[in-house]
Amino acid sequence: MPHDHHDHEHDHSHDGLSPSGHPYRADNDTNLSYWQAMEIALRELLIEKGYLTAAQIHAQINAMDSRSPANGARVVARAWVDPEFKAALLADAGAASRAMGFDIGPMHLIALENTKEVHNVVVCTLCSCYPRNLLGLPPDWYKSRAYRSRTVIEPRKVLSEFGLELPEQMQVRVHDSTADMRYIVLPAQPEASLGLTEEELAAWVTRDSMIGMGLPQAPQ
């Protein structure tokens, strides 16, 4: 469990953070939801009928868990140093990502280029559609109702709460993801990073910059 819980003394704070500063998360020992029960039933049925094995399911879970924003950062860094790859990425982000060896499945992926005139932001107003196969799991705030609703209504205010103030003349475009269509933002390369190698540039690309809620930053 992510929470550092001490049963013997209950000395943790319930103000939202554990004593070590980790977000508190309640134990999930409540009754199964309808969909959780359905998932278990379907999984066990597929194994019983011989369509899948428990090892295959476990391997796929491990593969999903191994994906992280570092994969997307490599794609962005390649686009910064290779104009031909950048053109291919903007034409078909799925094919370009696969060409780099990333297994993104059948996902229809679209790359959105940030420029001096346009800043792109990604959201999923319905649920939490996200390019997981390339960026890994989405942050909790991406799935929150507040982010999903406010980003399409007042994107500049939400961006400012993330510490990102954009010039008034810059157009902000919000893109709504779906189950069939996912987006990744291609952030503008910072001038201070010009001349760096592809590997060095990947360290500048943050997860939030690929969602549009941040900008690339020099590694600390």
Side-chain angles (χ1 to χ4, degrees), residues 33 126 155 171 211 218:
S33 68
L126 181 62
Q171 182 183 17
I211 306 173

Side-chain angles (χ1 to χ4, degrees), residues 19-88:
S20 58
H22 293 172
Y24 172 74
R25 184 172 182 175
D27 291 332
N28 57 349
D29 52 1
T30 56
N31 294 331
L32 294 176
S33 68
Y34 170 81
W35 295 111
Q36 288 173 321
M38 285 291 290
E39 183 275 324
I40 293 172
L42 180 59
R43 170 162 42 90
E44 293 184 346
L45 185 61
L46 289 172
I47 293 173
E48 182 180 322
K49 296 294 183 182
Y51 292 105
L52 291 172
T53 66
Q56 287 175 314
I57 295 173
H58 189 64
Q60 186 60 31
I61 292 172
N62 283 339
M64 287 297 295
D65 285 346
S66 69
R67 292 161 183 155
S68 77
N71 294 348
R74 287 179 55 196
V75 172
V76 171
R78 175 71 59 85
W80 282 350
V81 300
D82 185 340
E84 289 188 9
F85 178 79
K86 176 181 175 181

Side-chain angles (χ1 to χ4, degrees), residues 25-213:
R25 184 172 182 175
D27 291 332
N28 57 349
D29 52 1
T30 56
N31 294 331
L32 294 176
S33 68
Y34 170 81
W35 295 111
Q36 288 173 321
M38 285 291 290
E39 183 275 324
I40 293 172
L42 180 59
R43 170 162 42 90
E44 293 184 346
L45 185 61
L46 289 172
I47 293 173
E48 182 180 322
K49 296 294 183 182
Y51 292 105
L52 291 172
T53 66
Q56 287 175 314
I57 295 173
H58 189 64
Q60 186 60 31
I61 292 172
N62 283 339
M64 287 297 295
D65 285 346
S66 69
R67 292 161 183 155
S68 77
N71 294 348
R74 287 179 55 196
V75 172
V76 171
R78 175 71 59 85
W80 282 350
V81 300
D82 185 340
E84 289 188 9
F85 178 79
K86 176 181 175 181
L89 182 70
L90 294 175
D92 187 339
S97 299
R98 293 186 189 96
M100 287 189 66
F102 296 116
D103 177 13
I104 65 168
M107 176 176 63
H108 184 196
L109 183 65
I110 296 174
L112 309 163
E113 183 181 16
N114 280 353
T115 66
K116 293 181 179 178
E117 295 79 27
V118 176
H119 182 89
N120 296 287
V121 176
V122 178
V123 67
C124 174
T125 57
L126 181 62
C127 50
S128 59
C129 294
Y130 186 79
R132 297 168 186 245
N133 286 31
L134 188 61
L135 303 186
L137 297 175
D140 284 345
W141 53 259
Y142 183 87
K143 299 177 287 185
S144 70
R145 189 184 302 275
Y147 176 79
R148 288 156 42 204
S149 59
R150 292 183 58 217
T151 299
V152 295
I153 298 171
E154 46 183 8
R156 285 183 180 274
K157 184 169 178 55
V158 176
L159 285 166
S160 69
E161 293 170 6
F162 277 73
L164 187 55
E165 300 286 353
L166 299 176
E168 283 299 321
Q169 66 272 21
M170 180 175 282
Q171 182 183 17
V172 178
R173 296 178 180 171
V174 179
H175 303 265
D176 194 2
S177 306
T178 69
D180 300 321
M181 188 180 304
R182 313 294 169 91
Y183 299 96
I184 178 175
V185 173
L186 174 59
Q189 182 178 358
E191 291 188 6
S193 70
L194 294 175
L196 296 180
T197 66
E198 183 178 329
E199 183 178 8
E200 291 170 330
L201 288 171
W204 284 62
V205 183
T206 65
R207 176 198 64 194
D208 290 359
S209 72
M210 292 182 283
I211 306 173
M213 299 309 293

